[in-house]
C-alpha cells in the first residue's frame, strides 16, 4: 500500500528499466530455447496476413439496493423489474444476480466466450441474453464475495468518539458478517497503517480494534486550532487582521485534509484489481468540504463588509471528494461512512468558548460542512452515511442488510476502455420503491485493468489464473555493489492462448506485466513487455501441453521480496495474475 520514495522493490524495477536491452536479449534467447515449438521465423514482406478482431464481452456490474418507503429491504425482484441507463441511454440487462439473506437467489448469466472473427457490421443486433439457471444451493461467485475494509481515520477522530464506535463495531463484526466475507483493518495516523491484512476471522480484526483504542487519536488538535482562530478573530481590530487568522487556520487544515483524501484514494486504488463487492466502512469525525468555512463566516459576522464568505471558496475540496468517489466507483468500492461525533453539541454555548462573534450559526456551518463530505462519499457510491446518532448498532445492522441482500445488474456498453466517466441510473418499474447504486464508473482501458490486477496480486491474497501461468526464480547472482540480479521465468501454457493464423505461422498477442514489493510494503512501478510468441503452422496442433518461457531479470537488494506477474491474451481478452515470494541473498 505505502509507496516509499525509493523502496527496495522500486529500485529493482528502476534497474529493470535501465537494463531493458539486456533483459530483452535474455528474454528472447531464453524464450526461444525453452519453448517446445521450433523457433519461429519472421514473415517475409508482402505475405497475406489474417485481418480480424477480438470480440469480447465487456460487462459493467452495478450493485443495487432496494427498499420500500419505510426502509425495509425488498427482495424477490427479477431482471424485468429493473431498467438501467448509461449517460441517459437505456441498456439491455445481460447479467442478473441477486442475494437474499446471504443466500444466492438468482445465479449470474455465464459470460460469453470471446472469439476471433471478422468485424460485425454496425447494424448487427446483439444476441438476446440467455436466461439464468436456477440458483438453488449455489455458492456466491468469486466476483460477488464481500471484501470489507474497516478504515479508522485516527487523525480526524476524537478519542472518546472513536472508542464508542469501535465497541459497537466489534459486536457488528462478530455477529453480522458471514463466514466467507473477507475483512481488513486500516487506520490513518498521518500515514496509512494496515493493522490487520485480509482475513475471514473477525476475531483477528477485533483484537486489533481493541489495540487501536489505546493509540492516541488526533482530532483534538484540529479543535484547538479552530478555537485559537475564532478567538483571534474575536479579538481582532480589523477585517484584514481577522482574515489573516482565518486564512492561517484554513491553510493548515487544507494541507492536512489533502493528505487524508490522498490516503483514502490510495486504499481505493489498491483495491482496484481485487474481485468481489468491496465496501469501505469509514469511521471519522468528518472532513471539511470547504476548509475553514465556519471560521470565515465568523469573520463575516463581525465585519459585515469583509470578504469572509467568498474567501472561503479558495479552500473548496468538493472536486477532490468527487474525484475520490469517481475512483471508488471505477473500482467497485462502496463507502459506508460513520460520523463518530454522533449527536453534536454547539461548542459556542460553553462558557469557555462564548464570544460575541461566535454563535450557534457558526457551529451549524461547521457541522454541515464536515457532514457533507461523509454524505457525498456514501451517496455517490451507493452506500449509507450514518450521522446524528450516538447508538450505531441499528445503522450497522442496516448496512449488514446491504451485504446480505442486493441485486447485481450487468450490461455491455458499446464502448470499451475509452477512459471516460459514464453516469449510471437504475430505475424500477414498480412504484413506491427506492433504489441505491453507484452514480457512475470510469471505463478503464486494458493497461489500467492489468496494472490494477497486478497490484492486487501484490498487495492481497488474490490470484486469478485461467491461463495457467507460473513463476519460477533462478539463482540470484550477487553484484559487487551488494545488489542481486534475480532471473524470473514466466511459464506460459501455449495451449491456453488464442493464436491468430498468419501465412506461415500462428501468432499470439500476449503481454506480461511485472511488479515487485519489499517486506516494508514499498512497491515498484509496473513494467510491461510484449511476449513474442510465434509458432509455425505445421506445429500448431502439437502445442497443447507445451510452454513458452519468458525470462527477465530483476535487480534487487537482499531480503524478502514479492513478485507479481500479470499476463494478458489480447486476442481472447483473458487475463491471469499470480504472485510468488522470493528471498534474495542469505
Amino acid at each position: 500500500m505505502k509507496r516509499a520514495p525509493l523502496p527496495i522493490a522500486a529500485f529493482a524495477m528502476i534497474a529493470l528499466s535501465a537494463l531493458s536491452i539486456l533483459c530483452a536479449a535474455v528474454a528472447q534467447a531464453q524464450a526461444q530455447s525453452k519453448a517446445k515449438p521450433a523457433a519461429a521465423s519472421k514473415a517475409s514482406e508482402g505475405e497475406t496476413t489474417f485481418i480480424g478482431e477480438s470480440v469480447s464481452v465487456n460487462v459493467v456490474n452495478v450493485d443495487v439496493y432496494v427498499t420500500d418507503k419505510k426502509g425495509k429491504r425488498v427482495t424477490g425482484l427479477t431482471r424485468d423489474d429493473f431498467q438501467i441507463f448509461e449517460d441517459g441511454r437505456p441498456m439491455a440487462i445481460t447479467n442478473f444476480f441477486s442475494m437474499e439473506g446471504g443466500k444466492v437467489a438468482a445465479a449470474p448469466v455465464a459470460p460469453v466466450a470471446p472469439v476471433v472473427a471478422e468485424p460485425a457490421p454496425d447494424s448487427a443486433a446483439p444476441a438476446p441474453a440467455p436466461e439464468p439457471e436456477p440458483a438453488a444451493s449455489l455458492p456466491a461467485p468469486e466476483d460477488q464475495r464481500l471484501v470489507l475494509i474497516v478504515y479508522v481515520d485516527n487523525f480526524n477522530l476524537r478519542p472518546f468518539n472513536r472508542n464508542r464506535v469501535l465497541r459497537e463495531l466489534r459486536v457488528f463484526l462478530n455477529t453480522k458478517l458471514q463466514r466467507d466475507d473477507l475483512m481488513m483493518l486500516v487506520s490513518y495516523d498521518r500515514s496509512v497503517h494496515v493493522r490487520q491484512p485480509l482475513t475471514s476471522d473477525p476475531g483477528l480484526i477485533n483484537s486489533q480494534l481493541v489495540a487501536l483504542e489505546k493509540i492516541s487519536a488526533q482530532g483534538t488538535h484540529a479543535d484547538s486550532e479552530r478555537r485559537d482562530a475564532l478567538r483571534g478573530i474575536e479579538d481582532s481590530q480589523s477585517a484584514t487582521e481577522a482574515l489573516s487568522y482565518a486564512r492561517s487556520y484554513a491553510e493548515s487544515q487544507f494541507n492536512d485534509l489533502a493528505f487524508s483524501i490522498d490516503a483514502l484514494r490510495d486504499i481505493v486504488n489498491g483495491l482496484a484489481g481485487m474481485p468481489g463487492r468491496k465496501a469501505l466502512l469509514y469511521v471519522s469525525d468528518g472532513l471539511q468540504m470547504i476548509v475553514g468555512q465556519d471560521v470565515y463566516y465568523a469573520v463575516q459576522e463581525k465585519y459585515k463588509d469583509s470578504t469572509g464568505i467568498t474567501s472561503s471558496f479558495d479552500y473548496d475540496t468538493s472536486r477532490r471528494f468527487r474525484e475520490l468517489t469517481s475512483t471508488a466507483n471505477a473500482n467497485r468500492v462502496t463507502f459506508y461512512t460513520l460520523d463518530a461525533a454522533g449527536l453534536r453539541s454547539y461548542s459556542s454555548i460553553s462558557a469557555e468558548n462564548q464570544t460575541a462573534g461566535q454563535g450557534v450559526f457558526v457551529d451549524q456551518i461547521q457541522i454541515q460542512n464536515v457532514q457533507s463530505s461523509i454524505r457525498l462519499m456514501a451517496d455517490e457510491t451507493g452506500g449509507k452515511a450514518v450521522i446524528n446518532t450516538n447508538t450505531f448498532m441499528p445503522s450497522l445492522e442496516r448496512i449488514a442488510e446491504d451485504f446480505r441482500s442486493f441485486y447485481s445488474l450487468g450490461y455491455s456498453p458499446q464502448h470499451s476502455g475509452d477512459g471516460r466517466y459514464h453516469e449510471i441510473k437504475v430505475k424500477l418499474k414498480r412504484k413506491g420503491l427506492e433504489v441505491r447504486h453507484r452514480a457512475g464508473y470510469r471505463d478503464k482501458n486494458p493497461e489500467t485493468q492489468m496494472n490494477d490486477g497486478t497490484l492486487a496480486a501484490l498487495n492481497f491474497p488474490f490470484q486469478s489464473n485461467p491461463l495457467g501461468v507460473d513463476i519460477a526464480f533462478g539463482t540470484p547472482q550477487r553484484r559487487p555493489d551488494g545488489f542481486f540480479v534475480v532471473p524470473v521465468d514466466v511459464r506460459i501454457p501455449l495451449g491456453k492462448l488464442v493464436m491468430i493464423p498468419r501465412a506461415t505461422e500462428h501468432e499470439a498477442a500476449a503481454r506480461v506485466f511485472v511488479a515487485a514489493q519489499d517486506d516494508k510494503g514499498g512497491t515498484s512501478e509496473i513494467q510491461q513487455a510484449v511476449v513474442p510468441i510465434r509458432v509455425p503452422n505445421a506445429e500448431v496442433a502439437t502445442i497443447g501441453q507445451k510452454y513458452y518461457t519468458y525470462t527477465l531479470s530483476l535487480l534487487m537488494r537482499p531480503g524478502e521480496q514479492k513478485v507479481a506477474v500479470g499476463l494478458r491474451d489480447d486476442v481472447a481478452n483473458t487475463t491471469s495474475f499470480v504472485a510468488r515470494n522470493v528471498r534474495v541473498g542469505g
Side-chain angles (χ1 to χ4, degrees), residues 382-461:
K384 280 181 173 290
V386 180
I387 62 174
N388 299 330
T389 180
N390 289 335
T391 305
F392 295 90
M393 187 53 68
S395 296
L396 289 170
E397 289 175 348
R398 287 191 289 273
I399 290 173
E401 290 179 353
D402 275 10
F403 299 161
R404 296 193 300 265
S405 298
F406 66 95
Y407 302 92
S408 181
L409 312 180
Y411 68 94
S412 298
Q414 294 180 350
H415 55 82
S416 179
D418 63 11
R420 297 179 179 178
Y421 187 83
H422 299 276
E423 294 183 352
I424 296 173
K425 182 69 175 178
V426 175
K427 295 181 180 180
L428 288 166
K429 297 177 183 178
R430 297 190 188 184
K431 303 297 183 182
L433 301 180
E434 297 182 351
V435 60
R436 285 185 290 110
H437 58 85
R438 56 175 168 156
Y441 74 103
R442 191 170 301 281
D443 189 11
K444 298 180 180 179
N445 59 38
E447 287 74 18
T448 301
Q449 295 175 17
M450 289 301 300
N451 288 345
D452 290 344
T454 305
L455 285 177
L458 205 58
N459 290 307
F460 302 107

Side-chain angles (χ1 to χ4, degrees), residues 49-103:
T49 59
F50 175 82
I51 300 176
E53 66 174 353
S54 171
V55 180
S56 59
V57 178
N58 176 34
V59 177
V60 177
N61 289 305
V62 184
D63 299 327
V64 180
Y65 312 99
V66 184
T67 57
D68 61 19
K69 295 294 185 181
K70 296 182 179 180
K72 183 179 179 181
R73 191 70 44 168
V74 175
T75 58
L77 301 179
T78 68
R79 182 206 313 249
D80 294 335
D81 291 308
F82 294 91
Q83 293 176 302
I84 191 165
F85 300 82
E86 181 181 286
D87 299 330
R89 294 186 294 272
M91 297 284 124
I93 299 175
T94 58
N95 292 37
F96 181 80
F97 174 87
S98 68
M99 181 87 74
E100 295 180 5
K103 296 181 180 179

Side-chain angles (χ1 to χ4, degrees), residues 320-391:
R320 299 196 65 174
F321 277 108
R322 292 190 183 280
E323 289 173 348
L324 172 64
T325 58
S326 174
T327 302
N329 284 335
N331 298 335
R332 201 186 177 189
V333 178
T334 302
F335 275 99
Y336 293 88
T337 53
L338 274 63
D339 179 9
L343 292 170
R344 299 171 184 260
S345 61
Y346 298 133
S347 61
S348 57
I349 65 176
S350 69
E352 176 188 10
N353 294 326
Q354 280 184 353
T355 66
Q358 180 191 359
V360 171
F361 178 69
V362 172
D363 283 342
Q364 289 175 334
I365 293 295
Q366 189 232 4
I367 293 171
Q368 293 172 4
N369 192 25
V370 297
Q371 288 184 343
S372 60
S373 62
I374 289 177
R375 290 180 182 273
L376 176 69
M377 287 189 285
D379 290 346
E380 290 292 308
T381 59
K384 280 181 173 290
V386 180
I387 62 174
N388 299 330
T389 180
N390 289 335
T391 305

Side-chain angles (χ1 to χ4, degrees), residues 287-316:
L287 301 171
Q288 299 185 63
M289 184 73 78
I290 301 176
V291 180
Q293 184 182 38
D294 56 317
V295 175
Y296 275 108
Y297 263 89
V299 176
Q300 193 75 33
E301 285 288 292
K302 183 168 183 178
Y303 302 100
K304 303 299 182 182
D305 58 346
S306 72
T307 60
I309 296 177
T310 56
S311 297
S312 67
F313 290 104
D314 292 339
Y315 304 98
D316 185 352

Side-chain angles (χ1 to χ4, degrees), residues 2 151 187-193 263:
K2 183 180 178 183
Y151 189 108
S187 71
Y188 175 69
D189 314 84
R190 285 194 178 273
S191 61
V192 172
H193 295 92

